[in-house]
Amino acid sequence: MAKKRPQTKATKAQLKDGPIPVVGAREPCPCGSGRRYKACHGRAAAHAVTELVQRPFEGLAGECDWIALRELVPAATAGLTLKDGLPKGVPSVTLATVLPMAWPALRRDDGSVLLALQNDTSSGDLSRDLADTLRRALTAEPGNPVAAQRVPADGPRLQDLLDPEADFTPVVHAGFEFWVPDAENASAEVNASLERANAAAIPTVRLSGTDAAYWCETPEKNHLRWVMPYPEEQLLDALARLHVAGTSNLGEGTRLVGSFRAHGLTVPVWDLPSAMGAEECEKPATEFAERLAAALAVDTPLTGDERRARGGLTNRQVTLS
């Protein structure tokens, strides 16, 4: 029978005060325990990093639009306002749906920062991932992209860095030309990425009369996708009431077909005729918002027909995140 290997004592004094640095999973834990990081302090850090945050944008101005830009809108930008103001040498910080070559962020030659929203992230807290990328972009050398990296579990979140009272109004673009303000001097790689992105972009318009409602054009029919701030159960009840009353549509030839669930909020979706553009959606969407507000205020139990309508909506719900 093989002898048990004697336990070895740590050769380094353990760090009892202050934070434990993040190191590679197989490296010795910096606390001096003699164990690998993944079996020591890395275990709690890994759990904190991977635990899913259901509403990563909660508390930010324009939460619904953040979700739309993350999940629904191909090309858009929005100015960001930092709580502590802009650092020296950084004239502006702009959120973008995506950047060329899937860069997480870019520090332009003039010092301005672009932060990409639709990239893959390393943890279960999208807000923390984006905040880490933003902090590194603010100090990156001008003219350089920011690479992805593992995020510390105790790092700040966007809610810690951004001014919650500042305006957040996305600007939707027809293409990704905002990538290259100086197209003549852009690299061939960037220009090729721009052409591919423009070819794949679905025409999208943000309605002006309602919050976080986005019209989009597809080959067969158009759609309206509307990120709503209401609790899911309450919203589905209200939509079911409107459906049974025959008032859940946006006019002739339109139909409420289901909803997405994204980052803790619900996104109802309507099919629209191909001839119905974004401008033709404005008035019906405003009128629907009024009907929805009235239905949300009703607290009586659903009727049998309304329960069946609600079940149909639930069965057609797709979770994006």
Side-chain angles (χ1 to χ4, degrees):
M1 183 175 179
K3 292 182 179 180
K4 292 184 178 179
R5 178 177 292 180
Q7 297 290 326
T8 57
K9 293 185 179 180
T11 57
K12 251 164 68 167
Q14 293 197 17
L15 298 176
K16 295 183 179 179
D17 298 323
I20 304 298
V22 175
V23 297
R26 293 180 176 274
E27 295 180 35
C29 187
C31 77
S33 66
R35 292 180 291 172
R36 289 179 177 177
Y37 179 68
K38 69 177 183 178
C40 192
H41 282 84
R43 183 177 299 169
H47 175 74
V49 169
T50 57
E51 188 174 3
L52 180 63
V53 175
Q54 297 290 341
R55 287 182 65 178
F57 306 120
E58 185 175 15
L60 294 176
E63 178 187 8
C64 294
D65 282 305
W66 278 87
I67 293 172
L69 267 58
R70 167 71 183 184
E71 300 294 343
L72 307 174
V73 182
T77 56
L80 298 179
T81 304
L82 306 185
K83 279 184 179 179
D84 299 328
L86 293 170
K88 184 178 180 180
V90 180
S92 64
V93 177
T94 302
L95 183 72
T97 46
V98 290
L99 291 176
M101 276 75 75
W103 291 330
L106 171 66
R107 182 90 186 270
R108 281 180 162 159
D109 291 334
D110 65 356
S112 61
V113 168
L114 286 175
L115 175 67
L117 183 56
Q118 293 182 9
N119 283 28
D120 292 335
T121 55
S122 61
S123 82
D125 186 352
L126 180 56
S127 177
R128 197 180 307 279
D129 291 332
L130 289 167
D132 179 78
T133 302
L134 174 56
R135 291 180 75 193
R136 291 186 291 119
L138 292 172
T139 57
E141 287 295 320
N144 287 283
V146 175
Q149 71 172 28
R150 188 171 62 175
V151 177
D154 58 352
R157 307 178 73 239
L158 287 174
Q159 288 82 347
D160 302 317
L161 303 182
L162 302 182
D163 183 351
E165 304 299 325
D167 178 61
F168 184 83
T169 303
V171 176
V172 179
H173 304 278
F176 295 88
E177 280 71 22
F178 63 87
W179 286 354
V180 282
D182 185 10
E184 292 182 359
N185 294 321
S187 68
E189 188 178 19
V190 169
N191 281 324
S193 183
L194 172 63
E195 290 181 9
R196 290 193 299 270
N198 281 344
I202 295 174
T204 302
V205 176
R206 183 178 186 267
L207 300 192
S208 60
T210 49
D211 292 332
Y214 290 81
W215 171 94
C216 67
E217 179 183 13
T218 60
E220 294 184 359
K221 62 183 69 174
N222 299 338
H223 304 279
L224 184 71
R225 301 179 290 190
W226 194 339
V227 187
M228 295 189 169
Y230 313 109
E232 180 179 329
E233 298 301 315
Q234 183 185 7
L235 176 58
L236 290 175
D237 282 354
L239 292 174
R241 296 182 197 277
L242 293 176
H243 184 75
V244 171
T247 57
S248 64
N249 59 39
L250 299 175
E252 185 177 356
T254 70
R255 185 167 67 99
L256 175 64
V257 292
S259 63
F260 299 124
R261 183 188 290 115
H263 303 290
L265 294 182
T266 303
V267 189
V269 179
W270 286 263
D271 278 351
L272 311 173
S274 297
M276 190 173 187
E279 290 186 6
E280 288 78 23
C281 281
E282 292 282 3
K283 183 178 178 181
T286 300
E287 293 171 347
F288 176 84
E290 295 172 357
R291 297 196 300 273
L292 178 62
L296 288 166
V298 178
D299 57 5
T300 57
L302 295 179
T303 66
D305 288 341
E306 289 168 347
R307 287 196 301 272
R308 285 187 287 274
R310 191 186 191 282
L313 289 171
T314 302
N315 290 337
R316 297 192 298 274
Q317 191 173 52
V318 177
T319 299
L320 297 181
S321 57

